[in-house]
């Protein structure tokens, strides 16, 4: 065995009621004028956060949207400067966190993240920005939040449908971490635990979105999956989802849900140990990892085909070409014709074989 490992994990306050720690956590950062960032849909949550920190809040900016357009980042930076903000507080999913990252990159302000989905962006130094229709991503430690408050109570309002797809999005990080080129034993342990926690709790959340214990287990799993996303390289699955989201405008979490079993089927013969660990973590040690992931999505009532989430069949060929264009590390060599077959199966929503 040989590996290189360097931990870079923000301070985490986890548990029901963790939001109450915000004033103290801001004090720890020496922040007195926080700018709260969120989406238009979560304006009320942003106002509730502001109400908790009356003496430490400079203002609210609730214009975050998917894929972080540079124009919105510029507006938020302007607001931060105008208000003389000394800290950012992002409440919401990957879109709110993503906006805070864009602003942090520009202004170097420290940030606190309060995630309300399972996307995991709050644990990574990875940012994405969209300019003139093209999304570029990068890594920069300045965008990594200083502190993250994980409060499961804030996820109670996440619909069963979004919980299912967001949870599968988190599982996808852990799946690819287990066969990553730069995998390491610590991240692999966290990845297995993340898959196990989410796959046990997600069916309970879908059945009863107000189940607080299940919400807590899901958020714990999402934290683990977010950590591994920030520490090891992703492969084919994330590349395909990035292509489908960026060039064909498919919804982020739902795309991850549909593609994951098929990307796993593509890689499984070249990543046998990882596949076994994934099956075990899913509680299906005797089933292949790919069909076990498909079955989990089915149990959750999540979308199973690209056709059902807005992909056009005529676009599959160009998606395969785009995803095969730039080289990247993956257990199985990237082959455009095989990628097309993968996408065709994902389009139709067929269950991968054991
Ligand atoms: N940089 C990274 O490391 C990283 C990691 C994962 C995802 N991302 C990015 O994050 C984005 C997707 O994030 P997402 O899947 O969290 O979606 P999102 O943040 O876009 O949220 C989806 C919708 O759900 C709403 N919402 C969020 N939490 C809610 C709650 N608890 N109750 C009710 N409504 C709620 C949001 O306001 C939004 O309208 C993508 O742009 C993706 O590229 C980045």
């Amino acid at each position: 065995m040989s590996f290189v490992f360097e931990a870079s994990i923000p301070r985490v306050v986890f548990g029901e009621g963790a939001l109450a720690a915000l004033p103290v956590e801001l004090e720890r950062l020496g922040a007195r004028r926080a700018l709260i960032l969120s989406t238009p849909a979560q304006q009320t949550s942003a106002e509730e956060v502001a109400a908790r920190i009356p003496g430490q809040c400079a203002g609210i900016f609730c214009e975050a949207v998917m894929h972080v357009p540079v124009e919105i980042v510029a507006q938020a930076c302007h607001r931060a400067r105008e208000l003389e903000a000394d800290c950012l507080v992002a409440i919401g999913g990957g879109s709110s966190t993503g906006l805070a990252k864009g602003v942090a990159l520009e202004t170097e302000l420290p940030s606190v993240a309060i995630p309300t989905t399972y996307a995991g962006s709050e644990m990574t130094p990875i940012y994405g920005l969209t300019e003139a229709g093209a999304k570029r991503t990068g890594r920069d430690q300045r965008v990594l939040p200083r502190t993250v408050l994980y409060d499961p109570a804030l996820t109670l309002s996440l619909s069963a449908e979004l919980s299912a797809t967001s949870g599968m999005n988190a599982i996808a990080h852990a799946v690819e971490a287990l066969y990553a080129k730069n995998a390491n034993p610590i991240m692999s342990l966290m990845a297995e635990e993340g898959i196990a926690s989410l796959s046990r709790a997600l069916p309970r959340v879908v059945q009863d979105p107000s189940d607080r214990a299940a919400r807590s287990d899901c958020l714990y799993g999402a934290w683990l999956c977010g950590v591994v996303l920030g520490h090891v390289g992703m492969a084919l699955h994330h590349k395909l989802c990035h292509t489908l989201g960026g060039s064909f405008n498919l919804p982020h979490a739902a795309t991850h849900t549909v593609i994951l079993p098929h990307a796993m089927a593509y890689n499984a013969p070249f990543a046998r140990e990882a596949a076994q660990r994934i099956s075990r973590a899913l509680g299906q040690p005797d089933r292949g990892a790919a069909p076990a992931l498909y079955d989990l999505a089915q149990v959750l009532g999540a979308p199973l085909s690209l056709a059902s989430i807005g992909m056009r069949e005529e676009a599959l060929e160009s998606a395969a070409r785009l995803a095969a264009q730039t080289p990247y590390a993956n257990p199985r060599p990237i082959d455009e014709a095989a990628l097309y077959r993968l996408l065709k199966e994902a389009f139709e929503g067929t269950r991968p074989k054991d």
Side-chain angles (χ1 to χ4, degrees):
M1 188 191 299
S2 75
F3 60 89
V4 175
F5 174 61
E6 188 178 342
S8 163
I9 305 178
R11 176 179 163 85
V12 166
V13 181
F14 189 103
E16 178 110 16
L19 181 59
L22 183 59
V24 176
E25 292 302 323
L26 287 175
E27 236 171 77
R28 271 189 100 248
L29 294 175
R32 295 190 178 152
R33 297 186 58 76
L35 174 62
I36 300 168
L37 303 171
S38 199
T39 60
Q42 286 179 285
Q43 171 130 13
T44 312
S45 304
E47 283 163 3
E48 279 163 17
V49 170
R52 282 177 181 262
I53 50 166
Q56 297 160 295
C57 180
I60 295 179
F61 181 87
C62 287
E63 305 297 332
V65 291
M66 193 86 108
H67 304 315
V68 200
V70 289
E71 297 78 13
I72 304 279
V73 174
Q75 283 174 31
C77 288
H78 178 73
R79 189 111 174 91
R81 289 189 184 111
E82 191 179 63
L83 293 169
E84 295 178 15
D86 58 7
C87 177
L88 307 166
V89 174
I91 176 155
S95 298
S96 299
T97 312
L99 175 60
K101 286 177 166 183
V103 178
L105 194 64
E106 180 78 25
T107 61
E108 303 201 1
L109 287 174
S111 70
V112 174
I114 309 171
T116 62
T117 71
Y118 307 132
S121 175
E122 68 284 351
M123 279 296 133
T124 83
I126 306 162
Y127 63 87
L129 293 167
T130 303
E131 189 163 14
K135 188 166 179 177
R136 62 186 157 93
T137 56
R139 289 182 86 97
D140 194 309
Q141 285 300 323
R142 286 174 298 177
V143 310
L144 186 70
R146 298 283 184 84
T147 308
V148 180
L149 305 183
Y150 282 105
D151 189 337
L154 300 172
T155 62
L156 292 171
S157 53
L158 195 63
S159 67
E161 194 188 345
L162 257 179
S163 300
T165 55
S166 189
M168 292 300 291
N169 179 196
I171 288 175
H173 308 328
V175 163
E176 294 227 291
L178 282 161
Y179 55 61
K181 195 166 175 236
N182 59 348
N184 67 69
I186 300 284
M187 287 303 122
S188 295
L189 283 173
M190 293 182 87
E192 262 197 70
E193 171 77 353
I195 296 172
S197 192
L198 276 159
S199 64
R200 280 196 301 259
L202 281 170
R204 290 155 56 210
V205 160
V206 166
Q207 208 171 27
D208 176 10
S210 67
D211 181 335
R212 288 173 180 267
R215 286 294 189 181
S216 180
D217 290 350
C218 279
L219 201 55
Y220 165 64
W223 168 59
L224 294 167
C225 293
V227 171
V228 301
L229 175 67
H231 284 78
V232 297
M234 297 290 110
L236 173 67
H237 169 79
H238 281 75
K239 177 70 180 180
L240 283 173
C241 293
H242 189 90
T243 305
L244 292 167
S247 305
F248 303 93
N249 210 21
L250 296 194
H252 177 80
T255 307
H256 274 269
T257 306
V258 172
I259 292 294
L260 187 58
H262 301 280
M264 184 71 242
Y266 185 94
N267 279 329
F270 292 74
R272 291 199 184 279
E273 196 200 323
Q276 271 167 13
R277 292 180 81 165
I278 293 160
S279 295
R280 189 170 70 200
L282 290 167
Q284 307 287 349
D286 301 323
R287 212 179 285 176
L293 287 165
Y294 183 95
D295 294 347
L296 175 61
Q298 192 162 40
V299 164
L300 299 177
L304 295 169
S305 70
L306 288 179
S308 71
I309 60 167
M311 183 69 177
R312 288 174 302 108
E313 190 166 7
E314 316 82 79
L316 293 177
E317 256 177 55
S318 65
R321 193 173 336 111
L322 280 172
Q325 232 163 34
T326 28
Y328 46 93
N330 190 63
R332 174 173 165 185
I334 301 298
D335 169 71
E336 192 180 319
L339 282 196
Y340 174 76
R341 286 194 296 278
L342 181 168
L343 287 172
K344 185 86 165 60
E345 298 210 338
F347 180 80
E348 287 163 359
T350 25
R351 181 179 186 269
K353 290 188 187 60
D354 259 309

